[in-house]
C-alpha cells in the first residue's frame, strides 16, 4: 500500500512470539502498538522489516500508525509478517463507523507533543503525532475508523505566514 497522508494506520492480527512490519519510508515516523500498547516508535525507518520479538506465544493485535505529515513523500507499507512458527491471522473487522477529517496542521497534530513553543524542524517532526490529534481521539471515543486529510501550513483561505500563495 502506498500513501502520503498523516495518520494512516494498518491493523492486523498475528499468532506467535513476534511480528515484522515491512516498510519503505525514509521520511515519516511511526508508532507500533501491540495489544493496545505502544511498543516502538520508528523514526524514518527506511526500507526495512522491523521486528517486535519476545511476545507471549498467543494471538496479538498489531497496529502501525504514521505519526506525521510528509508532503511530497510517498510511503509504502508491505504488510505484517509473523515470526518463525507463527502466523498472520485474518484481519480485524472494520468498525461500523468511519469519519474523515479534513484540515491543516491542527488536524495533523503538528507539534502536539512538544513541550516548547520554539522547536527546530526536526523537533517539530518528532513531536508531531497524528494518532493523538483531535481527529484520532474523537474517532476512538466513537469506536470509528478514521482518515485524516491534513497538510500543515496550508489553509482553505490563507497559508501559514503567507507561504505558497499559489496553493490553498
Amino acid at each position: 500500500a502506498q500513501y502520503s497522508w498523516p495518520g494512516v494506520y494498518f491493523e492486523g492480527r498475528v499468532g506467535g512470539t513476534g511480528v515484522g512490519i515491512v516498510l519503505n519510508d525514509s521520511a515519516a515516523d511511526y508508532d507500533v502498538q501491540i495489544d493496545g500498547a505502544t511498543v516502538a516508535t520508528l523514526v524514518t525507518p527506511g526500507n526495512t522489516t522491523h521486528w517486535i520479538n519476545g511476545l507471549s506465544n498467543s494471538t496479538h493485535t498489531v497496529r502501525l500508525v504514521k505519526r506525521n505529515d510528509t508532503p511530497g513523500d510517498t510511503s509504502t507499507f508491505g504488510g505484517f509478517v509473523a515470526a518463525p512458527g507463527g502466523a498472520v491471522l485474518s484481519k480485524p473487522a472494520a468498525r461500523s463507523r468511519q469519519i474523515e477529517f479534513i484540515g491543516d496542521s491542527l488536524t495533523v497534530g503538528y507539534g502536539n507533543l512538544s513541550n516548547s513553543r520554539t522547536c527546530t524542524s526536526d523537533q517539530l517532526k518528532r513531536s508531531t503525532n497524528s494518532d493523538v490529534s483531535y481527529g484520532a481521539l474523537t474517532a476512538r471515543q466513537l469506536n470509528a475508523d478514521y482518515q485524516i486529510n491534513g497538510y500543515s501550513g496550508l489553509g482553505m483561505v490563507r497559508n501559514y505566514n503567507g507561504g505558497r500563495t499559489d496553493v490553498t
Side-chain angles (χ1 to χ4, degrees), residues 66-90:
K66 183 177 179 220
R67 291 172 55 114
N68 43 15
D69 57 343
T70 52
D73 292 298
T74 301
S75 307
T76 303
F77 172 65
F80 298 119
V81 293
V88 175
L89 306 173
S90 61

Side-chain angles (χ1 to χ4, degrees), residues 113-151:
L113 298 182
S114 177
N115 56 10
S116 171
R117 290 188 56 81
T118 57
C119 300
T120 66
S121 61
D122 191 57
Q123 289 169 326
L124 271 172
K125 197 173 201 179
R126 302 291 90 79
S127 64
T128 295
N129 189 343
S130 295
D131 200 40
V132 291
S133 68
Y134 77 87
L137 295 173
T138 300
R140 275 196 290 283
Q141 190 70 22
L142 297 172
N143 192 31
D145 284 316
Y146 65 91
Q147 177 176 328
I148 294 175
N149 295 333
Y151 194 117

Side-chain angles (χ1 to χ4, degrees), residues 15-104:
T17 60
V19 61
I21 298 107
V22 181
L23 283 169
N24 187 359
D25 193 333
S26 57
D29 297 347
Y30 294 84
D31 280 340
V32 179
Q33 300 165 355
I34 306 288
D35 300 329
T38 300
V39 297
T41 297
L42 310 180
V43 176
T44 60
N47 190 1
T48 188
T49 300
H50 182 84
W51 287 94
I52 305 293
N53 291 307
L55 303 174
S56 63
N57 192 8
S58 61
T59 299
H60 301 280
T61 59
V62 182
R63 185 171 189 264
L64 174 73
V65 62
K66 183 177 179 220
R67 291 172 55 114
N68 43 15
D69 57 343
T70 52
D73 292 298
T74 301
S75 307
T76 303
F77 172 65
F80 298 119
V81 293
V88 175
L89 306 173
S90 61
K91 65 182 178 181
R95 292 166 184 87
S96 61
R97 295 180 178 145
Q98 292 84 39
I99 305 174
E100 180 179 20
F101 296 92
I102 302 170
D104 57 9

